[in-house]
Amino acid sequence: MVDGYQPLTDSQWQVIAPLLPLQRKRRLCLRQVVDALRYVYRTGCQWRSLPACFPPWSAVYHYFARWQITGLLQRLNEAANRADRLACNRRPTPSLALVDAQSVNQAPRLNQQRGLDAHKRVNGRKQQVLCDTGGHIWRVLVHAANGHDSRAARPLLPAAKRTRAGLLFCQKWVPAGKPPAGGQR
């Protein structure tokens, strides 16, 4: 595992570059923009606190917002997950996925969507994560904490698995509140 931020290597950039919109000339190098996004993700710094070695924060945020809306960040994540799974001699897409939820307290004066998770006694937001058995994160959904886990997990599942039978199949793997057939957890 790597501690701290590491810039993209040439081989990593060669894998990512075909997925980016490189058709037109730009004033900014997209490799620097991707490095800046990775820096913000890895360090957790604020946008305005980006070091001077990266493009201006407003430009980096512009690309982040645009790529999030167009789904490019999701496609980059899926491509990285597929490549990692293939390197481990596994199928590119998982046959079994896990959904987990975490409720997080939110400051009382923030105007974002919030709710009360009565079970965990948390007033704030809830994040739900879809990952495979190798720990690769495929999708994340953030919403008010008062949403029920099973209903809120539906948008995380692929369209083919959104049927009631698919959700029941998942519930067999992760029983809610009762021990499995053997009686032990």
Side-chain angles (χ1 to χ4, degrees), residues 73-111:
L73 294 177
Q74 177 69 27
R75 290 192 301 273
L76 283 172
N77 182 55
E78 289 177 2
N81 287 345
R82 285 188 189 108
D84 195 36
R85 287 178 60 88
L86 287 173
C88 295
N89 294 325
R90 301 182 78 178
R91 290 188 295 192
T93 56
S95 59
L96 176 66
L98 312 163
V99 178
D100 194 12
Q102 177 186 22
S103 296
V104 180
N105 277 326
Q106 188 174 5
R109 293 190 182 107
L110 292 179
N111 291 332

Side-chain angles (χ1 to χ4, degrees), residues 84-160:
D84 195 36
R85 287 178 60 88
L86 287 173
C88 295
N89 294 325
R90 301 182 78 178
R91 290 188 295 192
T93 56
S95 59
L96 176 66
L98 312 163
V99 178
D100 194 12
Q102 177 186 22
S103 296
V104 180
N105 277 326
Q106 188 174 5
R109 293 190 182 107
L110 292 179
N111 291 332
Q112 295 177 341
Q113 184 184 14
R114 59 185 302 131
L116 177 66
D117 185 352
H119 177 68
K120 297 179 183 175
R121 297 182 187 149
V122 171
N123 188 6
R125 298 183 52 80
K126 185 182 287 188
Q127 61 185 12
Q128 292 190 287
V129 179
L130 178 74
C131 64
D132 63 10
T133 56
H136 300 101
I137 296 175
W138 289 84
R139 295 204 171 115
V140 175
L141 179 66
V142 179
H143 56 87
N146 60 347
H148 193 274
D149 290 348
S150 64
R151 286 189 208 110
R154 284 182 182 242
L156 293 174
L157 299 173

Side-chain angles (χ1 to χ4, degrees), residues 152-175:
R154 284 182 182 242
L156 293 174
L157 299 173
K161 303 290 183 193
R162 286 188 190 169
T163 63
R164 181 136 174 89
L167 289 175
L168 287 175
F169 176 76
C170 291
Q171 288 174 355
K172 288 180 185 175
W173 284 96
V174 186

Side-chain angles (χ1 to χ4, degrees), residues 61 63-74:
Y61 183 78
Y63 279 102
F64 168 75
R66 172 173 274 175
W67 291 349
Q68 190 174 16
I69 290 169
T70 62
L72 179 66
L73 294 177
Q74 177 69 27

Side-chain angles (χ1 to χ4, degrees), residues 1-7 38-39 41-43:
M1 186 165 126
V2 177
D3 290 331
Y5 162 76
Q6 298 289 324
R38 294 179 70 237
Y39 181 84
Y41 170 74
R42 185 67 179 164
T43 64

